[in-house]
Amino acid sequence: MKITIVGAGAVGASCAEYIAIKNFASEVVLIDIKEDYAEGKAMDLMQTASLLGFDTRITGSTNDYSKTADSDIAVITSGIPRKPGMTREELIGINADIVKSVSSSILEHSPNAIVIVVSNPMDTMTYLVHKTTNLPKNKIIGMGGALDSARFKYRLSEALDCPASDVDGMVIGGHSDTGMVPLARLATRNSVPVTEFLSQDRLDQVTEDTKVGGATLTKMLGTSAWYAPGAAVSSLVQAIACDQKKMFPCSALLEGEYGLNDLCIGVPVILGKNGIEKIVELDLNEAEKAKMKESSQGVSGTNDLLDLKKVSG
Ligand SMILES: NC(=O)c1ccc[n+]([C@@H]2O[C@H](COP(=O)([O-])OP(=O)(O)OC[C@H]3O[C@@H](n4cnc5c(N)ncnc54)[C@H](O)[C@@H]3O)[C@@H](O)[C@H]2O)c1
């Protein structure tokens, strides 16, 4: 199993680290435009192999896509992250050009790869990859909901004063501060609805803290977070590489599901060796449907900012 990660920055390197530690891939190739940067990150990570006991071979390359040839999975983390006070949507100009050129270079050398898009604004960047490549829709996956759900579970575990492993919960919708739809009604602690333990006010607070989870960290760190994003991506990569058929909320191209069309947005999907094996349609209540609709309008609005003439050229 060969995995390429484009962008050897904070998220890309963290993702490579978690993939290696989980020890399911034979090879990870990190690639970056900064001279020697990916090579340096790869060497540093490889020097942890004997300490951490993994056999995955990590190599780095400065923009030489021939090194990525025949990758099974490619992760796109290249692009600029947000700074404090910025929205993810403000990154669109620079990141659209980067994501477009990077996805074309990946597919030139690995035409059968499954592509996971991480760069922000992620739902729109995922849609851009659909518009600019001929990959089938099951092979293009946006990572956002897996991270947002992990943050939701963290906030729930805080409120419940219990380990995060006791908690299950999911965030669907757009990967933006206003677009996320944390499904508090369906969240559980050991199969018991969290609504049995937490007041509506406390749950509303958890929901709000989840939605601004990325912005909170960006303010504290001066740039966007990387540990949880890298771990979330590594879980998606593992589900595909090991054909786990696990369910994660991911940004997927919708063609009628949830009453939505022609956009990528976070919905539960089953991930296996073919990428998105199935989109799971939840029985949302009216309030959740309305939030999903509003979220989709936000995502479509950001998609409209793409220069489609440039994109299709
Ligand atoms: N989807 C999510 O949940 C999520 C979570 C965190 C971060 N992000 C996004 O991921 C992206 C990366 O974040 P980061 O913190 O790792 O940033 P970073 O600045 O640490 O790393 C980005 C790397 O991309 C490289 N790069 C830029 N253009 C490139 C190109 N054309 N080809 C190859 N490499 C190129 C840069 O040299 C840099 O090393 C940002 O857009 C950020 O907003 C998304």
Side-chain angles (χ1 to χ4, degrees), residues 86-102:
M86 280 176 98
T87 66
R88 295 174 177 91
E89 289 69 24
E90 286 173 73
L91 306 173
I92 191 170
I94 294 180
N95 285 358
D97 286 342
I98 293 175
V99 168
K100 186 186 170 202
S101 80
V102 156

Side-chain angles (χ1 to χ4, degrees), residues 6-12 31-34 37 63 65 77-82 91 95 98 101-102 117-120 122 143-144 147 175 223-225 229:
V6 188
V11 176
I31 189 158
D32 204 286
I33 40 163
K34 263 192 254 170
Y37 193 61
N63 234 17
Y65 281 82
T77 75
S78 46
I80 49 166
R82 57 181 173 157
L91 306 173
N95 285 358
I98 293 175
S101 80
V102 156
V117 182
V118 183
S119 311
N120 276 315
M122 181 279 297
M143 194 296 290
L147 169 65
H175 178 60
T223 185
S224 60

Side-chain angles (χ1 to χ4, degrees), residues 33 42 45 70 119 124 137 149 154 160 170-171 185 196 232 235 243 277-278 292 313:
I33 40 163
L45 283 168
D70 300 322
S119 311
T124 294
K137 66 176 197 153
S149 300
Y154 163 74
L160 291 160
M170 191 160 43
V171 177
R185 179 179 64 93
E196 303 255 328
S235 296
D243 194 23
E277 309 239 331
K278 187 177 182 231
M292 194 64 178

